[in-house]
Amino acid sequence: MAVIVTIEIPGTTQQQYEEAIRRLHETGWFPPEGFIAHASGPDGSGGWRVVDFWDSEETFLAFVERARPIFEESGLRTFLPSVQEAVSVMVRPEPK
């Protein structure tokens, strides 16, 4: 069952977020198994919000464990995730 994962990261800046994403792309294992889609932006209160779509909660949690050192080294130490079932996920196809 696909899931929607919404993550609130209080006190995180765009620079910290972009550093973490840059480092994830350098790992050679990103995107990980189970990853479907990702969006992020400021949360309006001085933090950052991420909305991800994953094949399952288990694949999301496995990713977090693997990526935790990168997040912590980039200053993203506090995560407040919520997970809910996704009834439908649509992703625009890549242009040919």
Side-chain angles (χ1 to χ4, degrees):
M1 154 190 62
V3 294
I4 303 164
V5 179
T6 305
I7 303 167
E8 303 292 338
I9 314 171
T12 296
T13 66
Q14 182 173 348
Q15 181 180 13
Q16 289 170 308
Y17 164 80
E18 288 176 348
E19 172 66 12
I21 294 301
R22 181 189 66 74
R23 293 187 61 201
L24 283 172
H25 282 278
E26 292 175 349
T27 64
W29 55 261
F30 188 86
E33 179 182 341
F35 173 80
I36 298 172
H38 171 88
S40 70
D43 69 3
S45 66
W48 207 254
R49 177 176 295 123
V50 173
V51 178
D52 279 356
F53 296 88
W54 290 83
D55 284 346
S56 68
E57 184 173 3
E58 291 75 25
T59 57
F60 164 69
L61 294 173
F63 160 72
V64 169
E65 285 308 307
R66 191 170 192 186
R68 185 177 309 279
I70 291 171
F71 295 149
E72 289 178 352
E73 291 166 10
S74 299
L76 311 179
R77 290 180 174 82
T78 303
F79 289 81
L80 305 172
S82 69
V83 179
Q84 64 191 73
E85 177 183 354
V87 174
S88 176
V89 178
M90 291 181 270
V91 179
R92 182 176 68 185
E94 291 292 321
K96 293 182 180 187

